[in-house]
Amino acid sequence: MKLSDRKTWNLRALLAAPTAFLLIFFFGPLLIMVVYSFLTPGIYGGVDWTFSHLNYGRILGWADTKYEKFDPVFLWIFLRSLRLAALTVLTCVLVSYPAAFWISRMPKARRNMAIFLVTLPFFVSLIVRLFAWVLILRPTGFLNQGLMGLGLTSEPLEFLYTDFAVIVGMTYVFIPFMFLPLYASIEKLDSSQIEASMDLGATRFQTFRKVVLPATLPGIIGGSVITFIPSLGNFIVPSVLGGAKVVMIGNLIEQQFLSARNWPFGSALAMLVMAAVLCLLLAQLKLARTTEERA
Amino acid sequence: MDTDQNRAVTRTFSLRGLTSSPFERGRTRQTDDVSGFNMPAPLEIIGAHKAFRSPEGATVTALDNVSVKLAQAEFMTLLGPSGCGKTTLLRTISGFETLDAGDILIDGKEVTNQPAFRRPVNTVFQRYALFDHMNVARNVGYALEIAGKSKRDIQARVGEMLELVGLEGLGQRNISQLSGGQQQRVALARALAAKPKLLLLDEPLSALDKNLRQKMQQELKTLQRELGIGFIFVTHDQEEALTMSDRIAVLANGKIQQLGAPDALYTKPANLFTADFLGESNLLPVAIERGVATLADGQNFPCSNESAKGTLLLRPEVLRRTAPSEPSLTVQGTVVASYYQGKDCLVDFESPSLGALKANLREFKSLPERGETVSFYASTSDLHVINEVSS
């Protein structure tokens, strides 16, 4: 047996266990969901093994005309989820970009401390952090009291259980996801490139637009994708900060599985989220490839 | 150059620069005629002062009353060990650092407080600082793109610049596809594309290997002559400085130690720092009395220095094995080590009266052996006495 052959076999042996694990516990459940999404819900929960495309029809526009008419509410929830996730990504970029820039220019010892501080919220339970936001945003909360104290408003404003609260909450939760890839790409940018640009006559703004932004675009795209995906399917933030008023697709799926016990419909919704995410990933892949070709 | 007198002049200049009205500051200042034509100097620095605060809280003086004036189309090198202030001086010219006191005039116009992007100078950076998300052509055309030139003008100028640096046809390449030497050329083309009044080069050759570096030295010098613009070249490599410069400014501790032509600096350094920093040297203390300098071993030679004590600079290559016909010094000693270097040979020897010495022999039949007793001769016309005594 040749050495290279032996190496290959060793490698295969090492990879066998994790591969098997992924096949059984990742693709297995996924496959079950795919199958369930084409079945009929059982009367007492569970599934009836009869094929049905109406789970998708209920969402996308064709309905079982016998029992119900098509209601676009599910589609609206899906589109609203896309919008909220996109807005979350946007606010995450707006907050993380200057922060990452600032931290990347700090002396090394302080830089590591700052990165630690950015990731610090991870060490506290998500539920605790979200309820802290409830305390801030509720009508008698800190934000309203502050605004009224300053005389900016006479009555408490409605913050809690709005899109605003959900976006604030998700931004807060996902900032580290955006910050780290952004930081990685900004830190790589040689500050002498910024100087070179100014040396060649570009103002600070021109330098940002022509040098800094294009050079850090991979970080922005990477951060956006890994922020968008969990935002889209998130159900904890909207259920704590959005209440019954702001329902996202994640809440809907949760309801279908846990309260409505309509597993096939829940599966179909989940498949739709997955399809959206896959489309996004493919687009990113294509974008990365074209920039690579150009670069 | 008489430093004391020079300093006095600078004082008045920098005071005037600080107290003059904004109207006067913007005006073209009449400067001495350097070129023979009545044109302003491409660069004039008057009484530049700059201090930094170190991370430990101490104040470090990077520039201490530096005044320098560039002649038309002059290649000037700022030479010195790291931390001597040469890079700081360059960065104040390009506009990345502001002076605590003093003035900078480019082409007769005061730019002391102008931001980098307004100054008519461009820089070749030490590690090139090329924009790696753009191809070669866009890098070279960047300054023109920023200036809002038309696509056709940019394309024409980029082609011209790439031809100038010998990179024709590589415009569509990515930066990562270029060798170090090619990147260097792109950086040069990029800095020259906008026709700067003055080109600043911050140790641009330090990343290249020796052969390529020598080639680039010659090319840079030729290019500078063809373009006819001033070059300010920062380096810590004394050989590079001697090869390329019209004048060299030797910097140490934030001060210009000496400013002059390479051969003057090498053969007649004004102080011990310059003598020691440029090339190899034997430095021997001498006593001077009535025009005669006397070495520790009693040998003497005519010397016009005014001071009572001084240091004789004996370059290793002025030592020869055969006695010349003209008056000469003789040094004798025992060979400690000898090194064959191809075209010459280096001999370390110990003289009983003068201590450890070095000789560099161009002509030799055989390498002097370790332990061998040797005699070397230096004609008195090759000797130079510095008015300082090493402590």
Side-chain angles (χ1 to χ4, degrees):
Chain A
M1 200 193 273
K2 277 195 301 186
L3 190 71
S4 60
D5 281 348
R6 227 166 85 188
K7 268 193 180 159
T8 327
W9 275 105
N10 282 345
L11 196 67
R12 278 183 198 169
L14 275 171
L15 289 176
T19 309
F21 183 88
L22 278 179
L23 278 176
I24 296 166
F25 294 105
F26 179 72
F27 284 104
L30 208 60
L31 198 68
I32 295 172
M33 294 276 279
V34 174
V35 173
Y36 272 21
S37 72
F38 287 104
L39 296 179
T40 316
I43 299 163
Y44 306 106
V47 287
D48 259 356
W49 285 85
T50 34
F51 174 81
S52 162
H53 52 78
L54 290 174
N55 299 313
Y56 291 98
R58 267 178 94 186
I59 313 163
L60 295 172
W62 66 94
D64 169 13
T65 41
K66 207 156 63 177
Y67 296 108
E68 66 171 323
K69 274 198 214 138
F70 170 66
D71 187 346
V73 67
F74 304 118
L75 199 58
W76 284 131
I77 291 174
F78 181 60
L79 291 178
R80 169 199 276 175
S81 304
L82 287 176
R83 188 174 64 95
L84 288 179
L87 285 170
T88 302
V89 167
L90 187 70
T91 48
C92 278
V93 172
L94 292 179
V95 173
S96 305
Y97 201 96
F101 215 96
W102 180 48
I103 290 171
S104 73
R105 300 295 178 260
M106 281 181 179
K108 193 153 180 115
R110 279 179 51 206
R111 222 186 313 168
N112 289 338
M113 188 66 203
I115 294 170
F116 173 70
L117 287 177
V118 169
T119 50
L120 193 64
F122 270 149
F123 295 92
V124 181
S125 153
L126 178 63
I127 301 297
V128 173
R129 285 184 284 148
L130 288 178
F131 276 106
W133 273 107
V134 172
L135 297 182
I136 295 171
L137 296 174
R138 66 184 175 164
T140 53
F142 300 115
L143 186 57
N144 269 313
Q145 277 178 359
L147 287 175
M148 286 193 289
L150 289 169
L152 292 171
T153 170
S154 51
E155 278 171 45
L157 296 173
E158 213 45 68
F159 290 121
L160 201 56
Y161 310 134
T162 61
D163 285 2
F164 171 78
V166 173
I167 292 170
V168 165
M170 289 209 295
T171 303
Y172 168 73
V173 171
F174 294 122
I175 271 181
F177 288 74
M178 178 63 84
F179 176 85
L180 292 172
L182 265 185
Y183 177 80
S185 75
I186 290 173
E187 205 223 0
K188 245 186 2 197
L189 177 69
D190 190 353
S191 62
S192 67
Q193 280 190 26
I194 297 172
E195 287 192 345
S197 168
M198 307 226 287
D199 184 68
L200 293 162
T203 59
R204 277 172 190 282
F205 178 71
Q206 283 172 318
T207 299
F208 179 76
R209 203 164 52 89
K210 298 219 172 220
V211 176
V212 179
L213 200 59
T216 53
L217 201 60
I220 298 176
I221 293 173
S224 298
V225 168
I226 63 166
T227 315
F228 185 83
I229 293 171
S231 304
L232 183 64
N234 199 284
F235 67 93
I236 301 173
V237 178
S239 70
V240 175
L241 297 173
K245 285 190 190 155
V246 187
V247 177
M248 283 178 71
I249 191 99
N251 305 92
L252 194 61
I253 296 169
E254 185 210 3
Q255 280 167 18
Q256 294 309 314
F257 275 98
L258 300 181
S259 352
R261 297 189 69 78
N262 189 343
W263 291 3
F265 186 52
S267 302
L269 286 166
M271 286 302 119
L272 211 63
V273 173
M274 231 176 71
V277 167
L278 275 178
C279 286
L280 184 75
L281 287 177
L282 285 175
Q284 187 214 4
L285 209 67
K286 195 147 180 269
L287 201 69
R289 223 172 257 158
T290 46
T291 43
E292 213 167 87
E293 270 163 26
R294 215 185 39 183
Chain B
M1 193 182 274
D2 188 344
T3 29
D4 280 338
Q5 195 189 334
N6 189 33
R7 199 166 293 159
V9 171
T10 359
R11 282 260 162 73
T12 54
F13 257 107
S14 59
L15 268 178
R16 207 195 297 165
L18 287 168
T19 51
S20 61
S21 74
F23 177 71
E24 277 175 346
R25 280 170 82 90
R27 236 171 36 187
T28 302
R29 191 175 281 161
Q30 200 60 47
T31 50
D32 297 347
D33 190 12
V34 246
S35 60
F37 305 102
N38 205 9
M39 280 165 83
L43 173 74
E44 191 173 357
I45 296 169
I46 304 159
H49 196 94
K50 175 84 188 171
F52 288 108
R53 193 156 283 274
S54 75
E56 291 82 37
T59 311
V60 182
T61 307
L63 296 177
D64 186 2
N65 200 7
V66 171
S67 296
V68 111
K69 190 194 250 178
L70 202 70
Q72 293 296 331
E74 184 177 10
F75 195 122
M76 184 183 282
T77 298
L78 307 178
L79 176 68
S82 53
C84 71
K86 57 189 195 294
T87 299
T88 307
L89 186 57
L90 197 78
R91 288 173 64 83
T92 60
I93 301 168
S94 56
F96 296 126
E97 306 279 357
T98 48
L99 289 177
D100 297 338
D103 284 319
I104 298 171
L105 282 77
I106 293 171
D107 225 22
K109 290 188 190 69
E110 157 135 19
V111 298
T112 315
N113 295 312
Q114 261 183 23
F117 61 86
R118 290 236 180 82
R119 300 191 185 192
V121 295
N122 287 131
T123 309
V124 177
F125 290 83
Q126 187 167 15
R127 279 172 298 131
Y128 318 139
L130 296 173
F131 308 126
D132 31 7
H133 60 279
M134 300 178 188
N135 64 19
V136 170
R138 264 199 81 199
N139 264 282
V140 175
Y142 187 78
L144 305 171
E145 185 184 324
I146 292 294
K149 293 275 188 315
S150 75
K151 275 224 167 78
R152 249 187 47 215
D153 288 356
I154 296 176
Q155 214 175 0
R157 181 75 179 149
V158 166
E160 209 176 292
M161 293 321 294
L162 288 179
E163 203 186 310
L164 182 73
V165 298
L167 291 179
E168 305 95 318
L170 296 188
Q172 298 312 309
R173 287 275 181 94
N174 298 319
I175 298 305
S176 56
Q177 291 172 293
L178 301 180
S179 69
Q182 287 172 324
Q183 291 190 12
Q184 165 73 73
R185 286 157 196 267
V186 174
L188 194 62
R190 183 180 70 173
L192 288 170
K195 300 186 179 163
K197 307 267 186 205
L198 191 64
L199 188 72
L200 310 176
L201 302 106
D202 185 9
E203 306 206 22
L205 307 180
S206 58
L208 303 178
D209 62 61
K210 199 180 170 203
N211 287 336
L212 192 54
R213 194 158 68 217
Q214 282 175 345
K215 192 164 166 251
M216 282 305 289
Q217 285 171 8
Q218 292 155 8
E219 282 187 29
L220 270 178
K221 183 71 198 153
T222 316
L223 189 66
Q224 188 262 338
R225 274 206 203 104
E226 279 172 15
L227 292 170
I229 63 169
F231 273 36
I232 305 257
F233 189 94
V234 161
T235 185
H236 62 261
D237 183 335
Q238 33 129 342
E239 233 171 280
E240 203 165 273
L242 292 170
T243 309
M244 301 169 78
S245 323
D246 293 324
R247 278 195 299 167
I248 300 174
V250 178
L251 274 91
N253 305 320
K255 285 187 185 141
I256 293 185
Q257 302 291 329
Q258 195 176 355
L259 177 64
D263 57 337
L265 251 63
Y266 187 76
T267 54
K268 302 210 163 14
N271 49 41
L272 283 174
F273 181 84
T274 310
D276 203 33
F277 191 73
L278 278 182
E280 295 282 319
S281 54
N282 297 305
L283 296 168
L284 303 169
V286 289
I288 310 164
E289 208 179 335
R290 268 172 270 139
V292 176
T294 311
L295 275 164
D297 64 355
Q299 289 190 82
N300 54 43
F301 55 93
C303 164
S304 58
N305 292 46
E306 304 261 308
S307 60
K309 282 180 174 177
T311 305
L312 167 66
L313 168 67
L314 198 60
R315 291 285 184 199
E317 63 274 11
V318 306
L319 290 171
R320 267 168 284 174
R321 295 204 73 176
T322 47
S325 49
E326 68 254 38
S328 63
L329 288 185
T330 312
V331 280
Q332 265 182 337
T334 321
V335 174
V336 176
S338 57
Y339 309 96
Y340 178 67
Q341 292 188 315
K343 63 181 191 300
D344 51 10
C345 130
L346 207 66
V347 182
D348 284 345
F349 64 102
E350 180 85 26
S351 154
S353 50
L354 299 171
L357 296 169
K358 284 179 275 223
N360 193 336
L361 302 176
R362 292 279 150 79
E363 296 142 19
F364 53 94
K365 287 189 195 78
S366 61
L367 221 57
E369 295 274 341
R370 185 183 148 83
E372 196 180 314
T373 306
V374 282
S375 301
F376 292 105
Y377 307 92
S379 51
T380 49
S381 56
D382 286 339
L383 305 177
H384 173 68
V385 175
I386 301 159
N387 278 342
E388 283 176 6
V389 184
S390 58
S391 45

